[in-house]
Amino acid sequence: MRQFLRHPTDMPVELVRSKNGSQPLQRLHDISFGGVACNSTRAFRRGTAIELQIPLLGDHAHLTGIVAWCRKQLEDYLIGISFISEESFFRARMVEQVCHIEHYRKQREAEVGHPLPVEAVAREWVDAHASDFFPV
C-alpha cells in the first residue's frame, strides 16, 4: 500500500544530476508528500542524487532527492524520486498545493469555456481550500 497519496500533474520540471548539468525540460507525472514520478528522456540509476527544479514556481523551487526507481516506457522513462530532507518535504507540500490550483484552473476553464488568469484562480482556490490544505 502506498504511504502517500499521489497527485497527477503535468507541470514542467528540470532534472539536475550532481555535476552533470540538467536534462531538457521534462514533465512531472505525479507528486506526493514523499516524492515525485516524472518522465525523462534518459534513464537514471537507483540511488542517484538528483535535484528537481520547477521553473513555474520560481528560482527557489528546488527539491533534493534520490532516484528510487526507473522504468522504461514506450518512448521515454518514468523516474521515481524520493525526497531526502525535511526542507524538501515542506517544498513538496507547497508543490502539491500548486498542483491542486492548476487542476482547479483547468476545471474552471472547462466550465467557462475560456482561459482564466492564473493569479485570480489561485486566489479563489486559496480562499476556499488553503486552511484545510495546511492545517494549523
Side-chain angles (χ1 to χ4, degrees), residues 29-76:
H29 183 269
D30 60 46
I31 186 165
S32 77
F33 190 65
V36 300
C38 63
N39 297 87
S40 174
T41 55
R42 65 172 294 249
F44 287 88
R45 286 196 174 126
R46 185 177 180 183
T48 300
I50 198 161
E51 184 176 305
L52 180 79
Q53 298 176 353
I54 305 168
L56 291 177
L57 300 181
D59 294 336
H60 302 290
H62 302 274
L63 305 169
T64 304
I66 297 290
V67 174
W69 49 265
C70 178
R71 296 187 186 125
K72 176 72 175 133
Q73 301 186 115
L74 291 177
E75 297 181 15
D76 60 4

Side-chain angles (χ1 to χ4, degrees), residues 3-109:
Q3 183 178 3
F4 301 110
L5 177 65
R6 293 221 171 254
H7 300 279
T9 183
D10 65 352
M11 186 177 294
V13 296
E14 190 174 1
L15 301 176
V16 181
R17 215 173 125 198
S18 262
K19 300 177 186 171
N20 287 347
S22 63
Q23 298 296 306
L25 218 52
Q26 308 296 318
R27 290 292 209 198
L28 278 180
H29 183 269
D30 60 46
I31 186 165
S32 77
F33 190 65
V36 300
C38 63
N39 297 87
S40 174
T41 55
R42 65 172 294 249
F44 287 88
R45 286 196 174 126
R46 185 177 180 183
T48 300
I50 198 161
E51 184 176 305
L52 180 79
Q53 298 176 353
I54 305 168
L56 291 177
L57 300 181
D59 294 336
H60 302 290
H62 302 274
L63 305 169
T64 304
I66 297 290
V67 174
W69 49 265
C70 178
R71 296 187 186 125
K72 176 72 175 133
Q73 301 186 115
L74 291 177
E75 297 181 15
D76 60 4
Y77 296 87
L78 188 60
I79 311 294
I81 301 169
S82 297
F83 298 132
I84 58 173
S85 72
E86 289 300 320
E87 181 180 60
S88 289
F89 283 127
F90 174 75
R91 290 179 181 178
R93 194 70 174 141
M94 301 263 316
V95 170
E96 282 185 277
Q97 186 175 19
V98 170
C99 292
H100 282 288
I101 292 167
E102 178 63 15
H103 176 76
Y104 179 70
R105 182 186 62 82
K106 288 177 182 179
Q107 179 183 10
R108 294 281 294 125
E109 286 178 347

